[in-house]
Amino acid sequence: MHIAYGNNRDGVGFMWREEDGRIESVKGFMDFEEMWNWVELLRDHTYALHFRFRTRGERSEENCHPFEVLNHEKDGMDLLLMHNGTFSVKGYDGDKRSDTQIFTDILHNEVHGWENPIDLLRKPVIRRLEATIGSGNKIVFMTSKGKDAILHEDFGFWQNNVWYSNRYSFAR
């Protein structure tokens, strides 16, 4: 964790599943000890953790992961994501949002009106999304419907029941 934090110092965020199925999140940690306290707090939860390395947008709490695609009150379900990679975003020069926030906003606009937004995580849709975003991008989705997904899972690796999106974050 120390190495990953040292290599990706632009903010840390968490998303996790509560006992009632809802997905909660906190983000914007710029201090290792504060971040580590959340690791300890979430030890008994299913959670995802993201260390940001800024490639686009400001270094800010708002640009830290996770990002909310859908929320339970407005959309009938929680759908949050974390992303590793860089999206090519044309026409957004000068935008203070990260490439992931821009992608999330576009995705929200696409699925917001769907009758069954959980369909986003069906295999055929996932395969089309993977082809669209390119193999250098990996996305973790968590939903309050109990269905989660990892896009380009094979480009990361599993170790001790934990999925990592890359190995380079752990290199000294």
Side-chain angles (χ1 to χ4, degrees):
M1 290 279 209
H2 277 288
I3 295 168
Y5 178 81
N7 288 339
N8 302 277
R9 292 188 161 265
D10 294 318
V12 177
F14 296 85
M15 61 182 174
W16 69 93
R17 180 171 288 105
E18 286 289 347
E19 287 182 22
D20 65 0
R22 300 284 300 273
I23 306 301
E24 298 290 339
S25 66
V26 293
K27 63 183 186 175
F29 299 107
M30 304 292 183
D31 174 77
F32 181 84
E33 294 304 320
E34 189 177 15
M35 183 264 329
W36 186 253
N37 288 336
W38 277 93
V39 169
E40 294 293 329
L41 284 170
L42 295 173
R43 199 166 289 283
D44 295 329
H45 290 77
T46 297
Y47 75 92
L49 162 66
H50 183 272
F51 296 94
R52 181 170 188 237
F53 182 85
R54 186 186 76 80
T55 56
R56 181 181 181 90
E58 293 182 335
R59 184 179 192 259
S60 66
E61 179 179 328
E62 294 79 25
N63 280 331
C64 290
H65 303 221
F67 293 101
E68 181 182 272
V69 179
L70 300 173
N71 100 11
H72 192 272
E73 285 75 31
K74 296 177 195 169
D75 306 299
M77 69 177 273
D78 296 317
L79 173 62
L80 281 74
L81 69 79
M82 292 178 168
H83 164 242
N84 179 305
T86 304
F87 292 122
S88 290
V89 183
K90 297 187 185 335
Y92 288 90
D93 293 337
D95 199 314
K96 295 179 181 187
R97 295 175 296 167
S98 71
D99 57 318
T100 307
Q101 179 65 65
I102 292 167
F103 173 82
T104 302
D105 291 347
I106 292 167
L107 190 59
H108 167 80
N109 291 336
E110 181 65 31
V111 301
H112 174 70
W114 289 12
E115 186 175 327
N116 295 310
I118 195 72
D119 287 348
L120 177 68
L121 301 186
R122 288 182 37 242
K123 287 261 189 236
V125 179
I126 290 289
R127 296 299 168 244
R128 283 196 308 267
L129 267 173
E130 286 177 333
T132 301
I133 66 172
S135 62
N137 290 293
K138 291 150 271 189
I139 298 175
V140 173
F141 287 107
M142 287 184 81
T143 76
S144 57
K145 300 286 186 182
K147 183 172 175 105
D148 305 324
I150 303 172
L151 274 67
H152 290 302
E153 180 177 354
D154 294 345
F155 292 99
F157 68 98
W158 285 93
Q159 184 175 327
N160 300 325
N161 237 8
V162 175
W163 183 77
Y164 297 90
S165 65
N166 67 69
R167 293 184 188 277
Y168 59 79
S169 287
F170 303 99
R172 291 192 184 269

